[in-house]
Amino acid sequence: MDLLLDIATWILLLAGSILLIITGFGLLRLPDLYTRIHAGGMADTLATFLIFVGLSLQSGFSLVSAKLLLVLVFVFFTSPTASYALAQASFVAGLKPKLDGFGTKKPSKDDV
């Protein structure tokens, strides 16, 4: 039973860590602020969920796991809210999203 718990914990921790590394590459490679906010907000929340569930499995059913789950609930409410607030403030400040290729091509007679 302990071996299965350890395997599940390591799978969750590794999946969360890999997702955070992919998020880091996405934050470096994506073209504008809005796509970076989307990548960071979505993947960071999922990676936090995976890591905290893995940690709470490893700690067993105790006060530590209850605290981890409370922090997880807090992150679930604050991370999307912070992403939305940042995107809204950027849009109101006048930063327009990049729209590469959308609406820039003039239609030709071959497109019809």
Side-chain angles (χ1 to χ4, degrees), residues 8 14-16 19-20 27-28 36 38 43-44 51 53 62 68 70 76 78-80 93 95 100 104 109-110:
L14 286 174
L19 192 59
L20 282 176
L27 291 177
L28 293 174
R36 290 177 182 173
H38 181 72
D44 188 34
I51 290 172
V53 169
S62 65
L68 285 170
L70 283 175
F76 269 159
T78 57
S79 182
L95 184 64
D100 291 338
T104 59
K109 61 182 174 181
D110 295 332

Side-chain angles (χ1 to χ4, degrees), residues 44-91:
D44 188 34
T45 306
L46 179 60
T48 304
F49 174 76
L50 292 173
I51 290 172
F52 276 37
V53 169
L55 289 174
S56 63
L57 282 177
Q58 191 63 36
S59 68
F61 295 109
S62 65
L63 185 61
V64 173
S65 62
K67 289 178 184 179
L68 285 170
L69 293 177
L70 283 175
V71 171
L72 183 63
V73 169
F74 176 75
V75 168
F76 269 159
F77 284 117
T78 57
S79 182
T81 305
S83 297
Y84 173 76
L86 183 61
Q88 185 69 22
S90 300
F91 189 75

Side-chain angles (χ1 to χ4, degrees), residues 19-37:
L19 192 59
L20 282 176
I21 290 172
I22 292 170
T23 302
F25 285 128
L27 291 177
L28 293 174
R29 299 282 303 171
L30 290 173
D32 67 340
L33 177 75
Y34 298 105
T35 54
R36 290 177 182 173
I37 289 172

